[in-house]
Amino acid sequence: LIDSDSVEGTTVFNCSGERIGSVARLLIDKRTGVTHYVEMEFGGFLGFGKEVYPLPWEVLEYDVNIGGYLVNLTPEQLKSAPSYDPTDRKPIDHGYDSHIRSHYGLPE
């Protein structure tokens, strides 16, 4: 088990070992307690221009050697991934959940 404070702020890398963002927060089903998504923050400078990408928990793999999460995403997949402005966070409803999961090739 791991506490949410240990996950939040963890660096996310692509398979080439390049830093692509960091975990901002976890999205957990309040009924089951299952973590469904992490919000990965990407880009920006001094808090401006940041984008948040909801990544399904299943696409992250923790690598103890680099002390961060690996995702097998191409730059094109990331560029076209569902995202939103961090000041405009909305709950993920069923339709948006389906959109996110299908983008990453996961069953709905």
Side-chain angles (χ1 to χ4, degrees), residues 11-15 17 59-63 66 68-72:
T11 303
V12 179
F13 299 90
N14 63 18
C15 287
V59 304
L60 295 135
E61 181 181 333
Y62 190 76
D63 186 319
I66 61 172
Y69 290 98
L70 287 174
V71 292
N72 188 15

Side-chain angles (χ1 to χ4, degrees), residues 18-101:
E18 300 166 319
R19 182 187 189 283
I20 58 172
S22 62
V23 176
R25 64 185 190 158
L26 304 172
L27 300 173
I28 301 166
D29 184 301
K30 63 183 173 184
R31 291 189 178 103
T32 65
V34 173
T35 300
H36 285 270
Y37 293 96
V38 301
E39 286 185 339
M40 181 185 73
E41 288 187 340
F42 175 74
F45 180 70
L46 298 176
F48 296 101
K50 259 186 198 171
E51 291 185 80
V52 173
Y53 292 82
L55 297 176
W57 187 250
E58 301 99 305
V59 304
L60 295 135
E61 181 181 333
Y62 190 76
D63 186 319
V64 295
N65 296 316
I66 61 172
Y69 290 98
L70 287 174
V71 292
N72 188 15
L73 299 175
T74 65
E76 294 77 26
Q77 283 176 303
L78 185 57
K79 188 174 185 179
S80 65
S83 66
Y84 42 88
D85 184 292
T87 61
D88 191 30
R89 288 183 166 119
K90 296 182 176 113
I92 294 178
D93 61 22
H94 180 70
Y96 195 54
D97 177 60
S98 295
H99 173 65
I100 295 167
R101 295 186 65 76

